[in-house]
Amino acid sequence: MFWLPAGKITAIAYLLMIVVAISSCVKDYPAQVGNIIPPTNTATPTSTTSCSCTGVSSTTPTSGTTIPASSTTVAVDTLDASPPHFSPNGGNFYFSTIVKLASDTLPPQAVYEFSLDNGTTWQIGQQFTLTTGGKILTRFRVGNKPSRSRAASFTLYYQRMLIVGNSIMSHAPAPEIGWTNFNGMAASAPEKDFVHLLTARLQTLNPDMTVRLQSGAGIELDFGKSTYTMDEFTEPLQTFKPDLIVVRLGENVVDGDVQTRNFEGQFRQFLERLKQLSRGYNQPVQIVISTCVWEHPATDAILKKVAAENGYPLVDLSCLIGQPQYFASQYANPGVAAHPNDTGMQKISDLIWVKIQ
């Protein structure tokens, strides 16, 4: 396995896994990673998809105490005080940047508050760590009386993205099934798969961002086996040191084996391995998890549960399931045809982008 620097073409392509899993829905082909080169200097793609997947949104814990919305209802008589200022005051910043709140005058007994979800909930604190982008609000509060709020918008950039996936992420040419590209099956070209689309967007914020792809076939096919060690993830994390990890897999998991082979336990161990290795190189990491694009209810239930337990953003791809406009029906081979087409790849990229921003 090797990392892929942005903008440099490599001719190396090799087969990671050749085993084929039969899922309860259709046949998939485990990821085969090689000459997938993220594009550079590409304009931010515009989504042309229309369906809506909201999923379960969660935020990495920040400093401060969360105040439920029900306890922070704005009183008619608001606090007559200018709200705190942000430092830095919005803009494009590296993931995990610390933002502080300050004011020239602090009302007696006032506390600083900030909201990462447009005022739905408020947290007490005079600083927070950027783990999500978008509009952030701040204000003072004395008892039940809040001040007016102030807003600032932040976007996040990353240095190194690791994607753990399957053939939707990358697959080598397989002419015997009608697949001749080397990119995410069944995108019409490398720049049309979700890896390249997502990379192009991230590189508009940081042109130097690099990407590495890692097969997740072991997690999907070998979970629960005593011989499976997950050692394939050690080298990528120790040498590449990602600050963004996108876990985009699940289609190769046989739904009927989820309980009997303890997929939940294996997936927890997998995430713990990612966390332990990232602590070893002292790098803050954002981990994002997606559900399946095929109907795998037992698998998806575990992905959602474990993501929620760890506070990781979840990308819900359920709106693609059973929607023919998102799949590559032009291929005669049913396994290839079951993969996302260009429209489906764009939708996957869009939904991941929302969760990392």
Side-chain angles (χ1 to χ4, degrees), residues 20-28 217 219-223 250-263 292 294-300 302:
V20 175
I22 304 299
S23 74
S24 59
C25 179
V26 291
K27 179 187 295 184
D28 188 24
I219 293 291
E220 293 182 311
L221 303 177
D222 297 329
F223 69 91
E251 285 77 16
N252 286 317
V253 176
V254 178
D255 231 34
D257 291 344
V258 165
Q259 296 298 327
T260 57
R261 291 172 54 188
N262 192 19
F263 178 67
C292 302
W294 298 340
E295 190 170 4
H296 280 18
T299 303
D300 281 347
I302 298 303

Side-chain angles (χ1 to χ4, degrees), residues 283-295:
Q283 170 68 60
V285 176
Q286 175 73 292
I287 298 177
V288 180
I289 298 169
S290 89
T291 61
C292 302
V293 302
W294 298 340
E295 190 170 4

Side-chain angles (χ1 to χ4, degrees), residues 3 7 42 45 48 51 71 82 98 109 112 140 143 163-164 180 185 191 203 224 228 233 239 264 291 320 330 357:
W3 66 276
T42 305
T48 57
C51 87
S71 66
S82 179
I98 294 177
Q109 299 180 326
Y112 288 86
F140 288 123
I163 301 179
V164 181
T180 58
M185 189 183 277
E191 64 271 18
Q203 287 181 341
Y228 181 52
F233 299 103
T239 60
E264 181 176 343
T291 61
L320 279 74
Q330 69 270 27
Q357 283 298 312

Side-chain angles (χ1 to χ4, degrees), residues 148-306:
R148 300 182 306 276
S149 63
R150 189 187 305 276
S153 294
F154 295 86
T155 56
L156 304 184
Y157 70 83
Y158 299 86
Q159 299 286 4
R160 294 167 296 277
M161 175 171 64
L162 175 70
I163 301 179
V164 181
N166 50 32
S167 57
I168 297 174
M169 175 188 76
S170 173
H171 199 286
E176 68 277 9
I177 59 173
W179 175 245
T180 58
N181 288 359
F182 202 137
N183 54 253
M185 189 183 277
S188 62
E191 64 271 18
K192 296 291 187 179
D193 69 19
F194 87 87
V195 171
H196 289 75
L197 292 168
L198 184 61
T199 299
R201 275 178 156 168
L202 287 166
Q203 287 181 341
T204 62
L205 302 176
N206 176 20
D208 295 327
M209 192 206 72
T210 54
V211 180
R212 177 166 175 167
L213 308 183
Q214 172 65 43
S215 172
I219 293 291
E220 293 182 311
L221 303 177
D222 297 329
F223 69 91
K225 296 180 180 179
S226 59
T227 55
Y228 181 52
T229 62
M230 295 185 284
D231 286 345
E232 68 267 32
F233 299 103
T234 301
E235 186 275 333
L237 270 77
Q238 289 182 338
T239 60
F240 185 56
K241 300 180 180 179
D243 48 22
L244 173 61
I245 302 176
V246 177
V247 180
R248 162 73 291 281
L249 46 72
E251 285 77 16
N252 286 317
V253 176
V254 178
D255 231 34
D257 291 344
V258 165
Q259 296 298 327
T260 57
R261 291 172 54 188
N262 192 19
F263 178 67
E264 181 176 343
Q266 188 79 87
F267 194 64
R268 280 202 180 91
Q269 291 177 29
F270 164 62
L271 294 181
E272 187 60 34
R273 173 70 65 91
L274 297 184
K275 289 189 290 185
Q276 288 177 351
L277 290 171
S278 65
R279 292 190 195 108
Y281 57 79
N282 196 29
Q283 170 68 60
V285 176
Q286 175 73 292
I287 298 177
V288 180
I289 298 169
S290 89
T291 61
C292 302
V293 302
W294 298 340
E295 190 170 4
H296 280 18
T299 303
D300 281 347
I302 298 303
L303 296 173
K304 292 177 181 179
K305 178 181 179 181
V306 178

